[in-house]
Amino acid sequence: MTSLAQPAADPAFEALVRERLDAVEARLKTTAAAQTAFTTDAAQHLLSAGGKRFRPLLVVLASQLYPGADPSLVDRAAVVMELTHVASLYHDDVMDEAEVRRGVPSANSRWDNTVAIMVGDFLFARASSTVATMGTDYVLLQAETFARLVQGQIAETRGPDAEADPLDHYLDVVGDKTGSLIAASTVFGGMVCGAPQEVLDSLAQYGEEIGVVFQLSDDLIDIASDTSGKTPGTDLREGVATLPVLMLRASAGPEDTRLLDLTSRPLTDEAEVAEALARLRAHPVLEQARAEVVRRAEVARSYLSRLPEGPARDALSALCDQVVSRSS
């Protein structure tokens, strides 16, 4: 389910988390079911392909900070977050003209753009009908989060303004597209267990930061890893400038002319992809990017100091290490 290892220091806690995640997985399938077999197939397409389930994991972990969380409410909160995330993936794939998602053909390539867009809308509607059973505070947070997701997508599509710093713009987009939903996931979990406002605020800060770290670690994996199961250089092939490339552009010297050229355009020649990867892996900017990921992970961890001690906080802290180590 998730590629991030579950903390095993407390076997009873680990079993509890696994039980809830299994229940969430089952509920995801039933919630995504439609009145016709075709729509059900299309709606469950990406869900069945797997995924890290990082957002449900955070909901479950945060829900255990205080005793007494209603398991049904935990499951619904996790389903809302994951369906909102998956709905956005269907839309992203249309905008990016993606052909593959989670190792399977994207919905837009298997069917067409119209189907993919409508299925994304259907999943968001299912998330909305689920959150409506939870209370207006949950509805408001989901709506505000989805607005940030959309604004982040628009900002990514338009690109930075002429006077804007491209790296700052990129980090803002990552915060809106990734950090916002992960922050909402931790807050949902805290709301389910009745956490006080100061703890909810800390969870929001932690989730926002760990969400950005999660995406930035993916940026590094795309360049540095041959063992992640993903084809390295995907962003280079698409001409997408991520953290290492943007840091390179901000600090490049005369010796970087060739690398700047390779990272300034989509690469269709596999020899150029291999050259760009080799040059980036040997360049100091890759370690600088890793250091930034580590720094931000520690910032995320710092927000946990206001949470009650226990296995849930320990697990949230362990995730700070795991999102870093996955890109090392």
Side-chain angles (χ1 to χ4, degrees):
M1 184 182 303
T2 176
S3 62
L4 296 172
Q6 297 295 320
D10 186 330
F13 182 75
E14 182 182 9
L16 183 153
V17 171
R18 174 51 55 193
E19 179 182 1
R20 291 272 55 79
L21 289 175
D22 287 345
V24 169
E25 196 68 21
R27 191 183 281 255
L28 280 169
K29 296 288 180 63
T30 58
T31 307
Q35 293 180 336
T36 65
F38 175 83
T39 305
T40 298
D41 184 32
Q44 293 180 351
H45 178 62
L46 290 184
L47 288 171
S48 299
K52 300 175 186 69
R53 303 293 192 256
F54 190 47
R55 292 150 193 83
L57 174 63
L58 286 168
V59 172
V60 173
L61 293 180
S63 74
Q64 301 306 308
L65 287 167
Y66 296 91
D70 178 357
S72 173
L73 198 56
V74 174
D75 297 352
R76 280 178 281 160
V79 164
V80 169
M81 291 293 98
E82 187 67 7
L83 287 184
T84 301
H85 168 57
V86 174
S88 74
L89 298 183
Y90 279 84
H91 291 167
D92 280 357
D93 285 348
V94 171
M95 297 186 70
D96 297 340
E97 299 180 345
E99 295 183 359
V100 177
R101 168 72 71 173
R102 294 179 173 176
V104 300
S106 61
N108 49 297
S109 64
R110 179 174 173 180
W111 293 288
D112 57 38
N113 284 347
T114 301
V115 169
I117 290 169
M118 291 191 295
V119 169
D121 292 345
F122 172 78
L123 290 174
F124 184 68
R126 284 293 197 235
S128 299
S129 61
T130 301
V131 78
T133 70
M134 300 170 63
T136 55
D137 289 345
Y138 294 92
V139 173
L140 178 61
L141 179 54
Q142 189 221 15
E144 291 175 341
T145 300
F146 197 68
R148 282 192 64 189
L149 286 173
V150 173
Q151 291 177 88
Q153 184 65 62
I154 292 171
E156 182 180 53
T157 302
R158 290 189 67 249
D161 294 333
E163 68 277 7
D165 179 89
L167 180 54
D168 288 342
H169 175 268
Y170 176 70
L171 292 173
D172 287 343
V173 167
V174 170
D176 284 342
K177 286 192 63 178
T178 304
S180 65
L181 192 55
I182 290 177
S185 299
T186 57
V187 174
F188 260 32
M191 291 167 66
V192 166
C193 68
Q197 188 59 50
E198 60 269 20
V199 170
L200 296 180
D201 292 342
S202 295
L203 285 170
Q205 292 171 304
Y206 164 84
E208 183 89 17
E209 198 66 43
I210 203 68
V212 172
V213 172
F214 189 77
Q215 179 57 54
L216 297 185
S217 70
D218 270 357
D219 294 352
L220 297 184
I221 289 170
D222 189 64
I223 291 170
S225 177
D226 288 313
T227 60
S228 67
K230 298 180 179 179
T231 302
T234 299
D235 292 328
L236 295 172
R237 290 180 180 86
E238 296 175 355
V240 176
T242 58
L243 179 66
V245 169
L246 291 167
M247 293 179 74
L248 171 71
R249 292 177 182 174
S251 61
E255 70 280 6
D256 297 317
T257 301
R258 173 59 176 167
L259 185 53
L260 285 171
D261 172 59
L262 289 169
T263 56
S264 68
R265 52 188 168 83
L267 299 180
T268 57
D269 185 335
E270 286 303 309
E272 286 195 328
V273 173
E275 180 186 356
L277 286 172
R279 286 178 177 272
L280 281 168
R281 289 172 179 179
H283 198 284
V285 76
L286 193 61
E287 286 307 314
Q288 294 166 15
R290 281 199 179 100
E292 176 63 9
V293 170
V294 171
R295 184 192 71 80
R296 297 190 75 127
E298 290 307 312
V299 171
R301 198 195 314 271
S302 71
Y303 294 124
L304 300 176
S305 62
R306 287 172 281 186
L307 274 55
E309 293 183 358
R313 190 176 87 171
D314 292 344
L316 291 170
S317 179
L319 285 178
C320 296
D321 299 316
Q322 291 160 20
V323 295
V324 169
S325 64
R326 63 196 284 266
S327 62
S328 298

